[in-house]
Amino acid sequence: MLFRSFIILLDGKFVSYQRKGEGKDVLLLHGYGSKKESFYYQTEFLSKSFRVTVPDFLGFGCSAPLDEPWGVGGYADWLIRFMCAVKLDCPHIIAHSFGARVAVKLLAERGEIADKLIITGGAGLVKPRSPQYIRRVNAYRRVKKFFPRFAERHYGSEEYKKLPPLMRESYKKIVNEDLKASAAKIKNKTLLIYGENDIVTPFNEEGNTFNSLICGSQLKIMPDCGHFCFSENPALFNKIITEFLSD
């Protein structure tokens, strides 16, 4: 069966997604600044046994841009509407990084909408701010008051600097929301997969914390892999998720 791309109109905005395979539904959620094609290896592999659906979140890939800055909750509400629009029936969810934020937010309140949850490189924990970080934020706010363009060019991460103004506001909402309380509410059977060398979401911080918060969750560490372990070693990643989904 060929890999097919679709476009639907949802809430007046075009949404791009791919679908392949037949059987029980699996929903793949990409990370921030990424797109549906990042899950190429998993889509090809899983579509042999499942019906796989992979959307571009609004503001990313081939989907329409946002009209206003969304936080994690805005994306979680949108995801419910998308799942209804494309008729997903209690899918397994596999979510990377930012996609994991959305999945955690959604399943904390609507766990019945999905079956098993797989998080890879999951983000969503706000760490205590260091004195250096606080000083830098305060400096940014002072400079922005008088020289906004200079502040936007010289402060913030490289990822943040590359974003258009509206998406920067959305980004700030997303990264400043701590999802510990949401993670503690999840009842879905959950597998956490982190790369041993992930410096974006280190397993000994995010992975261990999510593992302690999500009741009954399992934590797997992939050796010699970073934040995109699912594409760095797809054979091992696919083996791990197959065992979990078959259990």
Side-chain angles (χ1 to χ4, degrees), residues 18-20 23-28 42 46-47 49-55 88-94 118 241 245:
Q18 294 177 328
R19 173 168 281 173
K20 185 176 182 180
K24 181 173 176 61
D25 283 314
V26 174
L27 173 64
L28 306 181
Q42 286 65 51
L46 290 169
S47 63
S49 305
F50 300 93
R51 184 174 72 155
V52 183
T53 302
V54 200
L88 293 179
D89 182 19
C90 197
H92 299 312
I93 294 179
I94 303 175
I118 298 175
I241 66 174
L245 295 178

Side-chain angles (χ1 to χ4, degrees), residues 45-46 50 92 116 118 189 191 193 218 220 235-247:
F45 176 77
L46 290 169
F50 300 93
H92 299 312
K116 295 180 180 179
I118 298 175
K189 190 170 183 179
L191 172 64
I193 307 175
Q218 305 172 41
K220 300 285 187 181
L236 177 57
F237 185 90
N238 291 343
K239 179 177 183 293
I240 292 171
I241 66 174
T242 297
E243 292 173 352
F244 178 71
L245 295 178
S246 301
D247 185 11

Side-chain angles (χ1 to χ4, degrees), residues 1 3 20 39-48 52:
M1 182 177 179
F3 195 81
K20 185 176 182 180
F39 278 116
Y40 171 81
Y41 295 110
Q42 286 65 51
T43 304
E44 289 296 312
F45 176 77
L46 290 169
S47 63
K48 297 173 184 177
V52 183

